[in-house]
Amino acid sequence: MLFPTTIAGSLPKPEWLAEPNTLWAPWKSKGEELARAKRDATMLAIKLQEDAGIDIVTEGEQARQHFVHGFLEKIEASTSPTRSRWESGKTATRQWCRRWCRPCG
């Protein structure tokens, strides 16, 4: 195998797990049902990659709400009022970078 293939980043979540195309979309279920839904979404992501012939499959980040989720939760400034300002759709990541990735912002 000259160049193994893989994906970078997360795959879209099924609409039964979380609202598609929504930043920090809330989960559509809770508790054991949510755990089962995340496992099902992960298995689906793996199957899709295998069917596509991807060499190095990932879990597609199906159990994460957002790629910075978890990281932002640990930052003092990411409390709900501040975080809600970042949840403005397409500009959210850009706003986050302006705040935390200086001087690139």
Side-chain angles (χ1 to χ4, degrees):
M1 176 181 327
L2 184 58
F3 295 107
T5 57
T6 191
I7 63 168
S10 59
L11 292 171
K13 290 176 183 53
E15 64 182 32
W16 43 264
L17 180 60
E19 188 67 35
N21 303 315
T22 303
L23 190 60
W24 278 299
W27 300 116
K28 291 193 171 180
S29 49
K30 295 179 181 177
E32 183 54 37
E33 185 180 339
L34 176 58
R36 189 172 28 260
K38 287 178 180 180
R39 283 192 302 269
D40 291 347
T42 299
M43 294 304 295
L44 178 61
I46 290 169
K47 176 80 169 108
L48 289 170
Q49 293 170 79
E50 289 174 341
D51 290 351
I54 300 295
D55 298 310
I56 304 166
V57 298
T58 73
E59 39 72 52
E61 297 189 341
Q62 297 300 298
R64 294 174 67 180
Q65 282 185 303
H66 189 269
F67 73 96
V68 295
H69 188 265
F71 171 73
L72 285 179
E73 298 292 319
K74 305 287 190 257
I75 297 175
E76 182 180 331
S78 69
T79 57
S80 293
T82 303
R83 179 174 156 179
S84 66
R85 289 197 314 259
W86 294 334
E87 294 177 346
S88 59
K90 295 179 182 177
T91 61
T93 302
R94 195 172 327 121
Q95 290 171 352
W96 184 87
C97 282
R98 280 192 197 114
R99 171 119 173 118
W100 298 105
C101 301
R102 300 234 188 260
C104 71

